[in-house]
Amino acid sequence: MATVLSVSGSPSASSRTGRLLRHLDQRLAAQGHQVIPLDVRTIPAEALLGADFRHPAIVEATELFDRADGVVVGTPVYKASYSGVLKALLDLLPQYALTGKTVLPLATGGSVAHVLAIDYALRPVLNSMGAAHIVQGWFTLDKDITVREDGTLALAPAAAEALTPVVDQFSAALTGRTPVLAAAG
Amino acid sequence: MATVLSVSGSPSASSRTGRLLRHLDQRLAAQGHQVIPLDVRTIPAEALLGADFRHPAIVEATELFDRADGVVVGTPVYKASYSGVLKALLDLLPQYALTGKTVLPLATGGSVAHVLAIDYALRPVLNSMGAAHIVQGWFTLDKDITVREDGTLALAPAAAEALTPVVDQFSAALTGRTPVLAAAG
Amino acid sequence: MATVLSVSGSPSASSRTGRLLRHLDQRLAAQGHQVIPLDVRTIPAEALLGADFRHPAIVEATELFDRADGVVVGTPVYKASYSGVLKALLDLLPQYALTGKTVLPLATGGSVAHVLAIDYALRPVLNSMGAAHIVQGWFTLDKDITVREDGTLALAPAAAEALTPVVDQFSAALTGRTPVLAAAG
Amino acid sequence: MATVLSVSGSPSASSRTGRLLRHLDQRLAAQGHQVIPLDVRTIPAEALLGADFRHPAIVEATELFDRADGVVVGTPVYKASYSGVLKALLDLLPQYALTGKTVLPLATGGSVAHVLAIDYALRPVLNSMGAAHIVQGWFTLDKDITVREDGTLALAPAAAEALTPVVDQFSAALTGRTPVLAAAG
């Protein structure tokens, strides 16, 4: 079992990105991982923007990254790149906060035209932080994510079908680092 | 004469990026431009991170972009890219907030190894916002920027020599868009 | 009147990219520019791949770039980036072969998912070559480009409508650099 | 034991990139891997540039990629990116030629200012080809690579020291995919 930090970088309370990550968390948990959700928007704004590495909320976020074996990084695509809110958190972490970790990059957006933002914008940042293994990510269209009245999420069938192997290869990459489990599986 | 918005994207109050931009503002002003300084860190944090496009501070920043003929965008390089604080502001502007505008991208950082962050990370974002002309930018090493006791800035001679033509070509590109003045000059 | 070098970076003889550029050349010529077409695939392969800067075909291509006021750079998108054939030519030009020049980047591809390749892959290369002004580019879907039996090209109406202002702003940026003509216009 | 294809993308016969890869091949071989060297410049130019997927040299290169568990991709940095020659080969491979494979990206260049070309230019291309795991790469300065009179290579001590863990983590990532060996080790 691995510890997974699942980070939503959306600034919006009703975010599709956030709901999508919490939905995928369930699949990771069902596969035996301990999943810790983190919505960047719940970190106090003055901590994120104040460049104060010693703020308790930043210290706590840093510890969450430190303890994780794997990190899911989800972001809406704004202006052809990741959200500023997400980057504001990453800026406050140690330079090599992802050393030794397996990372799954995910993005959501209004148009397929933004797909390459994952590989050209988000991945170089994650790589600069020392990530050991950034698995193939995935981009989900906003229109394929519906939030039901009870707050749960409905994914369009094709989107759900595409995300399943993406989450599973992340899960496999995590357990690949713990050979005993791999052998047991 | 053009109106220039000079935006520092550093989260730090004692920022080299901010001091550098305010220093270059003087040269632009001496060339006849009206220069309006904007330090993103002076915008209330809850406005920047709250995804609230109607917050008075965001409405005001949007108007500053709207009125500008040219925009200087300065950022420290963190994790191989622009600062999250800068991107948080850009995220709150209209998608095409740079339409018709001339833009000068500048960055500061601790190592020459970060130079390409301007062209690979910052430019695509500025371009997605409809910029008419993003002139050649420049990267200045932190060690070449010294803040004197009186708060003014001293640039290493080689850095100062490199920045002068960069600012001047931006200035020329601005006046190139106002042919009458160009003819008079 | 400006001199425009119109470079197609497709390795294919029946290339949509090449046909599209030759089609747009006509509009530029009708606006008074002298347009020189260059299909990279017509340069001898051993010259392109032999790293021989003194090969007559490379010397000639270098002179064409040198004489141009503006350069149209068109490429198919392969593997999320520009073609290797196009880059092989650019590699053999002087580092600052685009200094002082206005550049229009264009791409063609099978999916809208490749749109960002222009801004994240092609632009940084053109910028490293000293381009004075890289105007907003455009991506055209393969399916919107039909080659008629007589070899001429038919563009889907929406694609044609989108390309017209793209070519025209490039043309305007070119003449913006020749103030007498601009004043006359 | 894994099969490693070691691809040099330099167009030059006396290439530092090529010599560096052949030097590192020895370390991989000593760790028990079967290493197959491939210098793109030895592939006939007309095959690389002719867009002919059925050319015997392209068919053979495709089979080499197909058989490999891991691929070392080395390139000089030209114009802020990988070489056109390397990309010309990648363009002729199937879209997902790197599916399931572990990849080590390496670059050489004249200035530290080009370091980010690995992560912003080369990695997105390798990722678009389906790579399972692109490990942390490395950039080596030209001046740290000396070719002795007998054709062998001398690396500056600091460069050699930096490359050793880079090659070893690639080797470990390869064997991580072959659990029996991992368990034995």
Side-chain angles (χ1 to χ4, degrees):
Chain A
M1 193 184 73
T3 300
V4 175
L5 182 64
S6 177
V7 183
S8 166
S10 172
S12 163
S14 59
S15 153
R16 284 189 176 83
T17 307
R19 305 267 190 184
L20 178 64
L21 260 68
R22 299 299 83 83
H23 179 76
L24 300 178
D25 289 352
Q26 297 171 30
R27 186 171 183 91
L28 287 166
Q31 290 172 345
H33 303 297
Q34 184 193 359
V35 183
I36 301 165
L38 176 63
D39 289 320
V40 181
R41 56 171 291 280
T42 63
I43 298 176
E46 75 276 8
L48 273 181
L49 298 189
D52 178 3
F53 297 81
R54 291 162 306 184
H55 190 290
I58 301 305
V59 171
E60 189 187 338
T62 301
E63 287 172 358
L64 290 176
F65 274 83
D66 197 40
R67 279 166 39 202
D69 303 300
V71 183
V72 181
V73 179
T75 183
V77 175
Y78 296 148
K79 313 288 193 302
S81 185
Y82 42 76
S83 73
V85 173
L86 172 65
K87 185 62 166 41
L89 172 62
L90 300 180
D91 287 353
L92 288 167
L93 300 176
Q95 179 64 55
Y96 296 107
L98 295 177
T99 297
K101 299 184 196 307
T102 301
V103 182
L104 169 59
L106 296 174
T108 62
S111 160
V112 175
H114 300 145
V115 167
L116 288 178
I118 294 179
D119 285 355
Y120 275 109
L122 183 53
R123 256 174 198 274
V125 169
L126 301 174
N127 205 62
S128 83
M129 298 175 73
H133 187 175
I134 308 173
V135 300
Q136 293 278 345
W138 197 256
F139 178 90
T140 305
L141 279 169
D142 287 342
K143 72 174 179 61
D144 288 345
I145 306 173
T146 308
V147 180
R148 296 197 193 89
E149 284 196 15
D150 64 357
T152 61
L153 175 145
L155 272 176
E161 200 177 334
L163 277 162
T164 297
V166 169
V167 172
D168 289 356
Q169 43 107 17
F170 171 62
S171 182
L174 280 168
T175 50
R177 302 190 309 124
T178 54
V180 178
L181 274 185
Chain B
M1 190 183 76
T3 300
V4 175
L5 182 64
S6 178
V7 183
S8 166
S10 173
S12 162
S14 59
S15 153
R16 284 188 176 84
T17 307
R19 306 267 191 185
L20 178 65
L21 260 67
R22 299 299 82 84
H23 178 77
L24 300 178
D25 289 352
Q26 296 172 30
R27 186 171 183 89
L28 288 168
Q31 290 171 345
H33 303 297
Q34 186 194 357
V35 183
I36 301 164
L38 175 63
D39 289 320
V40 181
R41 56 172 290 282
T42 64
I43 298 176
E46 75 277 8
L48 273 181
L49 298 190
D52 178 4
F53 297 80
R54 292 162 304 181
H55 189 290
I58 301 306
V59 170
E60 190 187 337
T62 301
E63 287 172 357
L64 289 176
F65 275 83
D66 197 40
R67 280 165 40 201
D69 303 302
V71 183
V72 181
V73 179
T75 183
V77 176
Y78 296 147
K79 312 289 193 302
S81 186
Y82 42 77
S83 74
V85 174
L86 172 65
K87 185 60 166 42
L89 173 62
L90 300 180
D91 287 352
L92 288 168
L93 300 176
Q95 178 64 55
Y96 295 107
L98 295 176
T99 297
K101 300 184 196 306
T102 300
V103 181
L104 170 59
L106 296 173
T108 62
S111 160
V112 176
H114 301 145
V115 167
L116 288 179
I118 294 179
D119 285 356
Y120 275 109
L122 183 54
R123 256 173 198 275
V125 169
L126 301 173
N127 204 64
S128 83
M129 298 175 72
H133 187 174
I134 307 172
V135 300
Q136 292 277 343
W138 197 256
F139 178 91
T140 305
L141 279 168
D142 286 343
K143 72 175 178 59
D144 288 344
I145 306 173
T146 309
V147 180
R148 296 196 194 90
E149 283 195 16
D150 65 358
T152 62
L153 175 144
L155 270 178
E161 199 176 334
L163 276 162
T164 297
V166 169
V167 172
D168 289 356
Q169 44 106 16
F170 171 62
S171 183
L174 279 168
T175 50
R177 303 189 310 125
T178 55
V180 178
L181 274 185
Chain C
M1 192 183 75
T3 299
V4 175
L5 182 64
S6 177
V7 183
S8 165
S10 173
S12 161
S14 58
S15 153
R16 284 188 176 85
T17 306
R19 307 266 191 185
L20 178 64
L21 260 68
R22 300 299 82 86
H23 178 78
L24 300 177
D25 289 351
Q26 298 172 29
R27 186 170 182 92
L28 288 166
Q31 290 172 346
H33 303 296
Q34 185 193 358
V35 183
I36 300 165
L38 176 62
D39 289 321
V40 182
R41 54 172 291 281
T42 63
I43 297 176
E46 76 277 8
L48 274 180
L49 297 190
D52 178 4
F53 296 81
R54 291 164 303 184
H55 189 290
I58 300 306
V59 170
E60 190 188 337
T62 301
E63 286 172 359
L64 288 176
F65 274 83
D66 197 39
R67 280 166 39 203
D69 303 301
V71 183
V72 181
V73 180
T75 183
V77 176
Y78 296 148
K79 311 290 193 301
S81 186
Y82 42 76
S83 73
V85 173
L86 172 65
K87 185 60 166 44
L89 172 62
L90 300 180
D91 287 353
L92 288 168
L93 300 176
Q95 178 64 56
Y96 295 107
L98 295 177
T99 296
K101 300 184 196 307
T102 301
V103 182
L104 169 59
L106 296 174
T108 62
S111 159
V112 175
H114 302 145
V115 167
L116 287 178
I118 294 178
D119 285 355
Y120 276 109
L122 183 54
R123 257 174 196 274
V125 169
L126 301 173
N127 205 63
S128 82
M129 297 174 74
H133 186 174
I134 308 173
V135 300
Q136 292 278 343
W138 197 256
F139 177 91
T140 304
L141 279 169
D142 287 341
K143 73 175 178 61
D144 288 344
I145 306 173
T146 309
V147 180
R148 296 196 193 89
E149 284 196 14
D150 65 357
T152 62
L153 174 145
L155 271 177
E161 200 177 333
L163 276 162
T164 297
V166 169
V167 172
D168 289 356
Q169 45 106 18
F170 171 62
S171 182
L174 279 168
T175 51
R177 302 189 311 124
T178 55
V180 178
L181 273 187
Chain D
M1 192 182 76
T3 300
V4 175
L5 181 65
S6 177
V7 183
S8 166
S10 173
S12 162
S14 59
S15 153
R16 283 188 177 84
T17 307
R19 306 267 191 185
L20 178 64
L21 260 67
R22 299 299 82 85
H23 178 78
L24 300 178
D25 289 352
Q26 296 172 30
R27 186 171 183 89
L28 287 167
Q31 290 172 347
H33 303 296
Q34 185 194 359
V35 183
I36 300 165
L38 175 62
D39 289 321
V40 181
R41 56 172 290 281
T42 63
I43 297 176
E46 75 277 8
L48 272 181
L49 297 190
D52 179 3
F53 297 81
R54 290 162 305 182
H55 190 290
I58 301 306
V59 170
E60 188 187 338
T62 301
E63 286 172 357
L64 289 175
F65 274 84
D66 197 40
R67 279 166 39 201
D69 303 302
V71 183
V72 181
V73 180
T75 182
V77 175
Y78 296 147
K79 313 290 194 300
S81 186
Y82 43 76
S83 73
V85 174
L86 172 65
K87 185 61 165 44
L89 172 62
L90 300 180
D91 287 352
L92 287 168
L93 300 175
Q95 179 64 55
Y96 295 107
L98 295 177
T99 297
K101 300 184 195 307
T102 299
V103 182
L104 170 60
L106 296 173
T108 63
S111 160
V112 174
H114 301 147
V115 167
L116 288 179
I118 294 178
D119 284 355
Y120 275 109
L122 183 54
R123 256 173 197 276
V125 169
L126 302 173
N127 204 63
S128 82
M129 298 175 73
H133 187 175
I134 308 173
V135 300
Q136 292 278 343
W138 197 258
F139 177 91
T140 304
L141 279 169
D142 286 342
K143 72 175 178 59
D144 288 344
I145 306 174
T146 309
V147 180
R148 296 195 193 89
E149 284 195 16
D150 65 357
T152 61
L153 176 145
L155 271 177
E161 200 176 333
L163 276 162
T164 298
V166 169
V167 172
D168 289 357
Q169 43 108 17
F170 171 63
S171 181
L174 279 169
T175 50
R177 302 189 311 125
T178 54
V180 178
L181 275 184

